[in-house]
Amino acid sequence: MNAAAADTGERPFRLGVLVSGSGSNLQSIIDKLHHSSANIEIALVVSDNHKAQGLTRAAEAGISTAVFPMIDFEERLEHDLAMAAELERHEVELVVLAGYMMLVTPAFLDRFPYKVINLHPSLLPAFPGGSPIEDTMDYGARVTGVTVHYVDEGADTGPIILQEAVEIKYNDTVQSLRERIHEVEHRLLPRAIELIAGGRVSFDEENPRRVVLEDT
Ligand code: GAR
């Protein structure tokens, strides 16, 4: 089964990117993929936060933006369905959670089956959740890393697409480790998107938890 393979025609593969804060990973997608030879386009950037710097980055690149603050909605379901409708209106083929700090609901995932991916700053399944870098340091781990994975109904539990390890140095602080993790993220996330857009990512038919990458 191909996961969100690219259209065969000239039309660029359309991304929706969800951000909550700084958006440095959004910037890496803009710099490496947006209107590149990979024939990929960011059709829409969505945030739950009016003040997200990612919105400014998108606007500066001429990309459409939309903001869906949770406070404007009575329920999470209503919020996610409104967000899904806007992404569908922009004919998005892959939804990328790039520093989006809210969980998405099953109803949202149903609208984009096998088409939502997340970036997480640890080697999953170790240290899922909202403060993985701090948790990794507190635990005393010596190696951490970056994971790009499909989103399923759990928290950081979906099938893994790409992972890369990052060594934790004895004199690391949360900030210094975060910076080195970011460097890896800025390579790994665009790479995963490019693979999916190129139709080179599929699932093992006998074990759909296992993602299969076509040789490049
Ligand atoms: C990234 O490190 C990403 O892995 C993390 O938020 C950061 C966003 O940075 N995501 C999570 O922790 C999701 N659980 P950015 O806004 O500069 O791209």
Short mmCIF file of all heavy atoms in Angstrom, two decimals, residues 128-190:
data_model
loop_
_atom_site.label_atom_id
_atom_site.label_comp_id
_atom_site.label_asym_id
_atom_site.label_seq_id
_atom_site.Cartn_x
_atom_site.Cartn_y
_atom_site.Cartn_z
N PRO A 128 8.13 9.65 24.89
CA PRO A 128 7.03 10.32 24.19
C PRO A 128 6.56 11.51 25.05
O PRO A 128 7.11 11.74 26.13
CB PRO A 128 5.95 9.22 24.13
CG PRO A 128 6.21 8.38 25.34
CD PRO A 128 7.71 8.42 25.57
N GLY A 129 5.57 12.24 24.57
CA GLY A 129 4.95 13.27 25.40
C GLY A 129 5.46 14.66 25.13
O GLY A 129 6.16 14.92 24.15
N GLY A 130 5.15 15.55 26.06
CA GLY A 130 5.30 16.98 25.82
C GLY A 130 6.64 17.59 26.17
O GLY A 130 6.94 18.71 25.78
N SER A 131 7.50 16.89 26.93
CA SER A 131 8.81 17.48 27.28
C SER A 131 9.91 16.43 27.13
O SER A 131 10.64 16.11 28.06
CB SER A 131 8.77 18.01 28.72
OG SER A 131 8.29 17.01 29.60
N PRO A 132 10.03 15.89 25.91
CA PRO A 132 10.95 14.76 25.72
C PRO A 132 12.41 15.09 25.95
O PRO A 132 13.17 14.25 26.44
CB PRO A 132 10.70 14.34 24.26
CG PRO A 132 10.03 15.51 23.63
CD PRO A 132 9.29 16.22 24.70
N ILE A 133 12.84 16.30 25.61
CA ILE A 133 14.27 16.62 25.77
C ILE A 133 14.61 16.71 27.26
O ILE A 133 15.59 16.13 27.73
CB ILE A 133 14.64 17.91 25.00
CG1 ILE A 133 14.34 17.70 23.50
CG2 ILE A 133 16.11 18.27 25.22
CD1 ILE A 133 14.63 18.89 22.61
N GLU A 134 13.76 17.39 28.01
CA GLU A 134 13.96 17.47 29.46
C GLU A 134 13.90 16.08 30.08
O GLU A 134 14.72 15.72 30.93
CB GLU A 134 12.86 18.35 30.10
CG GLU A 134 12.94 19.83 29.74
CD GLU A 134 12.30 20.16 28.39
OE1 GLU A 134 11.94 19.24 27.62
OE2 GLU A 134 12.18 21.36 28.09
N ASP A 135 12.91 15.27 29.64
CA ASP A 135 12.75 13.93 30.21
C ASP A 135 13.98 13.06 29.94
O ASP A 135 14.43 12.30 30.80
CB ASP A 135 11.50 13.23 29.64
CG ASP A 135 10.22 13.95 30.02
OD1 ASP A 135 10.26 14.82 30.92
OD2 ASP A 135 9.17 13.66 29.39
N THR A 136 14.53 13.20 28.73
CA THR A 136 15.72 12.42 28.36
C THR A 136 16.90 12.79 29.24
O THR A 136 17.63 11.93 29.74
CB THR A 136 16.08 12.70 26.88
OG1 THR A 136 14.92 12.51 26.08
CG2 THR A 136 17.16 11.78 26.37
N MET A 137 17.08 14.11 29.42
CA MET A 137 18.20 14.59 30.26
C MET A 137 18.00 14.14 31.71
O MET A 137 18.93 13.66 32.35
CB MET A 137 18.26 16.12 30.22
CG MET A 137 18.62 16.71 28.88
SD MET A 137 20.38 16.64 28.52
CE MET A 137 21.02 17.95 29.54
N ASP A 138 16.78 14.29 32.22
CA ASP A 138 16.51 13.91 33.62
C ASP A 138 16.77 12.43 33.85
O ASP A 138 17.22 12.02 34.91
CB ASP A 138 15.04 14.22 33.99
CG ASP A 138 14.79 15.71 34.12
OD1 ASP A 138 15.78 16.48 34.16
OD2 ASP A 138 13.61 16.11 34.16
N TYR A 139 16.49 11.63 32.83
CA TYR A 139 16.65 10.18 32.96
C TYR A 139 18.13 9.79 32.99
O TYR A 139 18.51 8.74 33.49
CB TYR A 139 15.96 9.48 31.78
CG TYR A 139 15.79 8.00 31.97
CD1 TYR A 139 14.67 7.49 32.63
CD2 TYR A 139 16.74 7.11 31.49
CE1 TYR A 139 14.51 6.13 32.82
CE2 TYR A 139 16.59 5.75 31.67
CZ TYR A 139 15.48 5.26 32.33
OH TYR A 139 15.32 3.92 32.52
N GLY A 140 18.95 10.68 32.42
CA GLY A 140 20.38 10.37 32.35
C GLY A 140 20.76 9.55 31.13
O GLY A 140 21.82 8.91 31.12
N ALA A 141 19.90 9.54 30.11
CA ALA A 141 20.23 8.79 28.88
C ALA A 141 21.46 9.39 28.22
O ALA A 141 21.73 10.59 28.37
CB ALA A 141 19.03 8.84 27.93
N ARG A 142 22.22 8.59 27.52
CA ARG A 142 23.44 9.06 26.85
C ARG A 142 23.23 9.23 25.36
O ARG A 142 24.07 9.82 24.66
CB ARG A 142 24.62 8.09 27.10
CG ARG A 142 24.90 7.85 28.54
CD ARG A 142 25.87 8.85 29.19
NE ARG A 142 25.84 10.21 28.75
CZ ARG A 142 25.40 11.26 29.48
NH1 ARG A 142 24.90 11.07 30.68
NH2 ARG A 142 25.46 12.47 29.01
N VAL A 143 22.15 8.69 24.84
CA VAL A 143 21.83 8.84 23.42
C VAL A 143 20.35 9.19 23.31
O VAL A 143 19.51 8.61 24.00
CB VAL A 143 22.10 7.53 22.64
CG1 VAL A 143 21.67 7.67 21.19
CG2 VAL A 143 23.56 7.14 22.72
N THR A 144 20.05 10.15 22.45
CA THR A 144 18.64 10.42 22.13
C THR A 144 18.55 10.55 20.62
O THR A 144 19.34 9.94 19.91
CB THR A 144 18.12 11.66 22.89
OG1 THR A 144 16.73 11.81 22.58
CG2 THR A 144 18.89 12.92 22.52
N GLY A 145 17.62 11.34 20.12
CA GLY A 145 17.55 11.47 18.67
C GLY A 145 16.27 12.12 18.21
O GLY A 145 15.60 12.83 18.95
N VAL A 146 15.95 11.84 16.96
CA VAL A 146 14.80 12.45 16.28
C VAL A 146 14.02 11.34 15.59
O VAL A 146 14.61 10.43 15.01
CB VAL A 146 15.28 13.46 15.22
CG1 VAL A 146 14.12 13.99 14.39
CG2 VAL A 146 16.04 14.61 15.88
N THR A 147 12.70 11.44 15.67
CA THR A 147 11.83 10.47 15.00
C THR A 147 10.82 11.21 14.13
O THR A 147 10.23 12.20 14.57
CB THR A 147 11.04 9.63 16.04
OG1 THR A 147 11.95 9.00 16.93
CG2 THR A 147 10.16 8.59 15.36
N VAL A 148 10.64 10.73 12.91
CA VAL A 148 9.51 11.17 12.08
C VAL A 148 8.61 9.95 11.92
O VAL A 148 9.08 8.88 11.52
CB VAL A 148 9.96 11.67 10.69
CG1 VAL A 148 8.75 12.17 9.89
CG2 VAL A 148 11.01 12.76 10.82
N HIS A 149 7.34 10.10 12.29
CA HIS A 149 6.45 8.93 12.28
C HIS A 149 5.05 9.30 11.81
O HIS A 149 4.65 10.47 11.88
CB HIS A 149 6.39 8.31 13.69
CG HIS A 149 5.76 9.22 14.72
ND1 HIS A 149 4.43 9.15 15.08
CD2 HIS A 149 6.29 10.22 15.48
CE1 HIS A 149 4.17 10.07 16.00
NE2 HIS A 149 5.28 10.73 16.26
N TYR A 150 4.33 8.29 11.34
CA TYR A 150 2.91 8.49 11.05
C TYR A 150 2.17 8.69 12.35
O TYR A 150 2.55 8.12 13.38
CB TYR A 150 2.34 7.29 10.29
CG TYR A 150 2.71 7.31 8.83
CD1 TYR A 150 3.73 6.49 8.35
CD2 TYR A 150 2.08 8.18 7.95
CE1 TYR A 150 4.10 6.54 7.02
CE2 TYR A 150 2.46 8.23 6.62
CZ TYR A 150 3.46 7.41 6.16
OH TYR A 150 3.83 7.49 4.85
N VAL A 151 1.12 9.47 12.30
CA VAL A 151 0.32 9.71 13.50
C VAL A 151 -0.83 8.71 13.53
O VAL A 151 -1.54 8.54 12.53
CB VAL A 151 -0.22 11.15 13.52
CG1 VAL A 151 -1.11 11.39 14.73
CG2 VAL A 151 0.94 12.15 13.51
N ASP A 152 -0.95 8.03 14.68
CA ASP A 152 -2.13 7.17 14.88
C ASP A 152 -2.89 7.71 16.09
O ASP A 152 -2.63 8.84 16.53
CB ASP A 152 -1.72 5.69 15.00
CG ASP A 152 -0.91 5.42 16.26
OD1 ASP A 152 -0.77 6.33 17.10
OD2 ASP A 152 -0.43 4.28 16.39
N GLU A 153 -3.78 6.91 16.64
CA GLU A 153 -4.64 7.47 17.70
C GLU A 153 -3.94 7.59 19.05
O GLU A 153 -4.48 8.19 19.98
CB GLU A 153 -5.93 6.65 17.78
CG GLU A 153 -6.69 6.79 16.47
CD GLU A 153 -8.07 6.17 16.48
OE1 GLU A 153 -8.49 5.68 17.54
OE2 GLU A 153 -8.71 6.19 15.41
N GLY A 154 -2.76 7.04 19.19
CA GLY A 154 -2.03 7.17 20.45
C GLY A 154 -1.17 8.44 20.46
O GLY A 154 -1.14 9.20 19.49
N ALA A 155 -0.47 8.63 21.58
CA ALA A 155 0.43 9.78 21.68
C ALA A 155 1.84 9.33 21.30
O ALA A 155 2.48 8.59 22.05
CB ALA A 155 0.41 10.34 23.10
N ASP A 156 2.30 9.75 20.12
CA ASP A 156 3.65 9.43 19.62
C ASP A 156 3.87 7.93 19.44
O ASP A 156 4.96 7.41 19.69
CB ASP A 156 4.72 10.01 20.59
CG ASP A 156 4.58 11.51 20.77
OD1 ASP A 156 4.28 12.19 19.78
OD2 ASP A 156 4.76 11.99 21.89
N THR A 157 2.84 7.22 19.00
CA THR A 157 2.92 5.75 18.89
C THR A 157 2.88 5.23 17.45
O THR A 157 2.98 4.01 17.25
CB THR A 157 1.75 5.10 19.65
OG1 THR A 157 0.53 5.66 19.18
CG2 THR A 157 1.87 5.31 21.15
N GLY A 158 2.73 6.09 16.47
CA GLY A 158 2.50 5.60 15.11
C GLY A 158 3.74 5.04 14.44
O GLY A 158 4.87 5.22 14.94
N PRO A 159 3.57 4.35 13.30
CA PRO A 159 4.69 3.73 12.59
C PRO A 159 5.81 4.71 12.24
O PRO A 159 5.56 5.82 11.76
CB PRO A 159 4.04 3.17 11.31
CG PRO A 159 2.60 3.00 11.66
CD PRO A 159 2.27 4.08 12.64
N ILE A 160 7.03 4.26 12.50
CA ILE A 160 8.20 5.13 12.35
C ILE A 160 8.68 5.14 10.89
O ILE A 160 8.86 4.09 10.27
CB ILE A 160 9.33 4.64 13.29
CG1 ILE A 160 8.90 4.91 14.74
CG2 ILE A 160 10.65 5.33 12.97
CD1 ILE A 160 9.78 4.22 15.78
N ILE A 161 8.90 6.35 10.38
CA ILE A 161 9.38 6.50 9.00
C ILE A 161 10.91 6.65 8.99
O ILE A 161 11.61 5.91 8.32
CB ILE A 161 8.73 7.73 8.32
CG1 ILE A 161 7.20 7.62 8.38
CG2 ILE A 161 9.20 7.86 6.87
CD1 ILE A 161 6.48 8.94 8.12
N LEU A 162 11.43 7.62 9.74
CA LEU A 162 12.87 7.84 9.81
C LEU A 162 13.26 8.14 11.26
O LEU A 162 12.49 8.77 12.00
CB LEU A 162 13.28 9.05 8.96
CG LEU A 162 13.16 8.96 7.44
CD1 LEU A 162 13.56 10.30 6.81
CD2 LEU A 162 14.01 7.84 6.85
N GLN A 163 14.45 7.70 11.63
CA GLN A 163 15.00 8.03 12.95
C GLN A 163 16.49 8.29 12.80
O GLN A 163 17.14 7.67 11.97
CB GLN A 163 14.84 6.87 13.95
CG GLN A 163 13.50 6.85 14.61
CD GLN A 163 13.38 5.84 15.73
OE1 GLN A 163 13.84 4.71 15.57
NE2 GLN A 163 12.75 6.22 16.81
N GLU A 164 17.00 9.18 13.63
CA GLU A 164 18.46 9.37 13.67
C GLU A 164 18.87 9.66 15.11
O GLU A 164 18.21 10.43 15.81
CB GLU A 164 18.85 10.55 12.75
CG GLU A 164 20.34 10.66 12.58
CD GLU A 164 20.73 11.68 11.53
OE1 GLU A 164 20.13 11.70 10.43
OE2 GLU A 164 21.64 12.48 11.82
N ALA A 165 19.96 9.05 15.52
CA ALA A 165 20.43 9.20 16.90
C ALA A 165 21.24 10.48 17.07
O ALA A 165 21.89 10.96 16.14
CB ALA A 165 21.28 8.00 17.29
N VAL A 166 21.18 11.04 18.27
CA VAL A 166 22.00 12.20 18.67
C VAL A 166 22.65 11.85 20.01
O VAL A 166 21.95 11.47 20.95
CB VAL A 166 21.12 13.47 18.82
CG1 VAL A 166 21.94 14.63 19.37
CG2 VAL A 166 20.47 13.85 17.48
N GLU A 167 23.97 11.98 20.07
CA GLU A 167 24.67 11.68 21.32
C GLU A 167 24.41 12.78 22.34
O GLU A 167 24.37 13.96 21.98
CB GLU A 167 26.17 11.58 21.02
CG GLU A 167 26.97 11.13 22.22
CD GLU A 167 28.47 11.23 21.98
OE1 GLU A 167 28.90 11.50 20.84
OE2 GLU A 167 29.20 11.04 22.97
N ILE A 168 24.25 12.39 23.60
CA ILE A 168 24.12 13.40 24.67
C ILE A 168 25.49 13.55 25.32
O ILE A 168 26.06 12.58 25.82
CB ILE A 168 23.06 12.96 25.70
CG1 ILE A 168 21.71 12.76 25.00
CG2 ILE A 168 22.95 13.99 26.82
CD1 ILE A 168 20.62 12.18 25.88
N LYS A 169 26.03 14.77 25.29
CA LYS A 169 27.36 15.01 25.86
C LYS A 169 27.22 15.25 27.37
O LYS A 169 26.18 15.72 27.84
CB LYS A 169 27.99 16.22 25.19
CG LYS A 169 28.21 15.97 23.70
CD LYS A 169 28.86 17.14 23.01
CE LYS A 169 29.11 16.80 21.55
NZ LYS A 169 29.34 17.96 20.73
N TYR A 170 28.31 14.96 28.10
CA TYR A 170 28.22 15.08 29.57
C TYR A 170 27.99 16.52 30.00
O TYR A 170 27.41 16.75 31.05
CB TYR A 170 29.48 14.46 30.20
CG TYR A 170 29.37 12.95 30.17
CD1 TYR A 170 29.91 12.22 29.13
CD2 TYR A 170 28.66 12.28 31.16
CE1 TYR A 170 29.78 10.85 29.07
CE2 TYR A 170 28.52 10.89 31.11
CZ TYR A 170 29.09 10.19 30.07
OH TYR A 170 28.94 8.83 30.01
N ASN A 171 28.45 17.48 29.19
CA ASN A 171 28.23 18.88 29.59
C ASN A 171 27.02 19.51 28.89
O ASN A 171 26.86 20.72 28.91
CB ASN A 171 29.50 19.70 29.32
CG ASN A 171 29.86 19.70 27.84
OD1 ASN A 171 29.21 19.00 27.05
ND2 ASN A 171 30.86 20.47 27.46
N ASP A 172 26.17 18.70 28.26
CA ASP A 172 24.99 19.25 27.58
C ASP A 172 24.02 19.89 28.57
O ASP A 172 23.85 19.41 29.69
CB ASP A 172 24.24 18.14 26.83
CG ASP A 172 24.50 18.15 25.33
OD1 ASP A 172 24.77 19.24 24.79
OD2 ASP A 172 24.43 17.06 24.72
N THR A 173 23.38 20.96 28.11
CA THR A 173 22.21 21.50 28.80
C THR A 173 21.01 21.19 27.92
O THR A 173 21.18 20.78 26.75
CB THR A 173 22.33 23.04 28.93
OG1 THR A 173 22.40 23.57 27.60
CG2 THR A 173 23.55 23.43 29.74
N VAL A 174 19.81 21.41 28.43
CA VAL A 174 18.62 21.19 27.60
C VAL A 174 18.75 22.02 26.33
O VAL A 174 18.46 21.55 25.22
CB VAL A 174 17.34 21.55 28.39
CG1 VAL A 174 16.14 21.65 27.46
CG2 VAL A 174 17.08 20.52 29.48
N GLN A 175 19.25 23.25 26.47
CA GLN A 175 19.33 24.14 25.31
C GLN A 175 20.35 23.66 24.28
O GLN A 175 20.07 23.63 23.08
CB GLN A 175 19.64 25.58 25.78
CG GLN A 175 19.53 26.63 24.69
CD GLN A 175 18.23 26.55 23.86
OE1 GLN A 175 17.18 26.14 24.37
NE2 GLN A 175 18.32 26.89 22.59
N SER A 176 21.52 23.24 24.76
CA SER A 176 22.55 22.81 23.78
C SER A 176 22.11 21.53 23.08
O SER A 176 22.33 21.35 21.88
CB SER A 176 23.92 22.63 24.46
OG SER A 176 23.87 21.59 25.42
N LEU A 177 21.45 20.65 23.83
CA LEU A 177 20.97 19.41 23.21
C LEU A 177 19.85 19.73 22.22
O LEU A 177 19.81 19.19 21.11
CB LEU A 177 20.46 18.45 24.30
CG LEU A 177 19.92 17.11 23.81
CD1 LEU A 177 20.95 16.35 22.98
CD2 LEU A 177 19.45 16.25 24.98
N ARG A 178 18.96 20.64 22.61
CA ARG A 178 17.87 21.03 21.70
C ARG A 178 18.42 21.54 20.38
O ARG A 178 17.91 21.23 19.31
CB ARG A 178 17.00 22.11 22.37
CG ARG A 178 15.69 22.41 21.63
CD ARG A 178 14.94 23.60 22.23
NE ARG A 178 14.74 23.49 23.65
CZ ARG A 178 13.79 22.74 24.24
NH1 ARG A 178 12.97 22.04 23.51
NH2 ARG A 178 13.68 22.71 25.55
N GLU A 179 19.50 22.33 20.46
CA GLU A 179 20.07 22.89 19.23
C GLU A 179 20.60 21.79 18.30
O GLU A 179 20.39 21.82 17.09
CB GLU A 179 21.19 23.88 19.57
CG GLU A 179 20.62 25.22 20.03
CD GLU A 179 21.66 26.12 20.67
OE1 GLU A 179 22.88 25.89 20.48
OE2 GLU A 179 21.24 27.08 21.37
N ARG A 180 21.27 20.78 18.90
CA ARG A 180 21.79 19.69 18.04
C ARG A 180 20.66 18.83 17.50
O ARG A 180 20.72 18.35 16.36
CB ARG A 180 22.81 18.84 18.80
CG ARG A 180 24.12 19.60 19.05
CD ARG A 180 25.33 18.70 19.17
NE ARG A 180 25.14 17.57 20.03
CZ ARG A 180 24.99 17.65 21.36
NH1 ARG A 180 24.99 18.83 21.96
NH2 ARG A 180 24.82 16.57 22.07
N ILE A 181 19.61 18.66 18.29
CA ILE A 181 18.44 17.92 17.81
C ILE A 181 17.79 18.67 16.65
O ILE A 181 17.42 18.08 15.63
CB ILE A 181 17.44 17.68 18.97
CG1 ILE A 181 17.99 16.56 19.87
CG2 ILE A 181 16.04 17.36 18.46
CD1 ILE A 181 17.15 16.25 21.08
N HIS A 182 17.71 19.98 16.79
CA HIS A 182 17.12 20.78 15.70
C HIS A 182 17.89 20.60 14.39
O HIS A 182 17.29 20.51 13.32
CB HIS A 182 17.10 22.27 16.08
CG HIS A 182 15.79 22.72 16.63
ND1 HIS A 182 15.62 23.29 17.86
CD2 HIS A 182 14.55 22.66 16.09
CE1 HIS A 182 14.35 23.56 18.06
NE2 HIS A 182 13.67 23.19 17.00
N GLU A 183 19.22 20.57 14.50
CA GLU A 183 20.02 20.39 13.26
C GLU A 183 19.62 19.10 12.54
O GLU A 183 19.51 19.07 11.32
CB GLU A 183 21.51 20.34 13.60
CG GLU A 183 22.12 21.69 13.90
CD GLU A 183 23.54 21.55 14.42
OE1 GLU A 183 24.21 20.53 14.13
OE2 GLU A 183 23.98 22.47 15.15
N VAL A 184 19.42 18.05 13.32
CA VAL A 184 19.03 16.76 12.72
C VAL A 184 17.60 16.85 12.18
O VAL A 184 17.30 16.41 11.07
CB VAL A 184 19.17 15.62 13.75
CG1 VAL A 184 18.61 14.32 13.19
CG2 VAL A 184 20.62 15.45 14.15
N GLU A 185 16.72 17.46 12.96
CA GLU A 185 15.32 17.59 12.51
C GLU A 185 15.24 18.31 11.17
O GLU A 185 14.44 17.92 10.31
CB GLU A 185 14.51 18.37 13.55
CG GLU A 185 14.29 17.62 14.84
CD GLU A 185 13.42 18.38 15.82
OE1 GLU A 185 13.40 19.62 15.80
OE2 GLU A 185 12.76 17.72 16.63
N HIS A 186 16.06 19.35 11.03
CA HIS A 186 15.95 20.16 9.81
C HIS A 186 16.38 19.39 8.56
O HIS A 186 16.09 19.80 7.45
CB HIS A 186 16.78 21.46 9.97
CG HIS A 186 16.27 22.34 11.07
ND1 HIS A 186 16.98 23.38 11.61
CD2 HIS A 186 15.08 22.31 11.75
CE1 HIS A 186 16.26 23.95 12.57
NE2 HIS A 186 15.10 23.33 12.67
N ARG A 187 17.09 18.28 8.76
CA ARG A 187 17.42 17.38 7.63
C ARG A 187 16.39 16.28 7.48
O ARG A 187 15.97 15.92 6.39
CB ARG A 187 18.77 16.71 7.88
CG ARG A 187 19.95 17.42 7.32
CD ARG A 187 21.21 16.58 7.41
NE ARG A 187 21.67 16.31 8.76
CZ ARG A 187 21.57 15.13 9.38
NH1 ARG A 187 21.03 14.10 8.75
NH2 ARG A 187 22.02 14.97 10.60
N LEU A 188 16.01 15.70 8.65
CA LEU A 188 15.22 14.46 8.61
C LEU A 188 13.77 14.70 8.15
O LEU A 188 13.23 13.90 7.37
CB LEU A 188 15.21 13.84 10.01
CG LEU A 188 15.28 12.32 10.08
CD1 LEU A 188 16.57 11.80 9.47
CD2 LEU A 188 15.15 11.83 11.52
N LEU A 189 13.16 15.78 8.62
CA LEU A 189 11.76 16.01 8.26
C LEU A 189 11.59 16.29 6.76
O LEU A 189 10.76 15.63 6.11
CB LEU A 189 11.17 17.14 9.12
CG LEU A 189 9.68 17.43 8.89
CD1 LEU A 189 8.82 16.20 9.18
CD2 LEU A 189 9.22 18.61 9.74
N PRO A 190 12.40 17.19 6.17
CA PRO A 190 12.26 17.37 4.71
C PRO A 190 12.52 16.07 3.94
O PRO A 190 11.87 15.81 2.93
CB PRO A 190 13.32 18.43 4.38
CG PRO A 190 13.55 19.16 5.65
CD PRO A 190 13.34 18.15 6.75
#
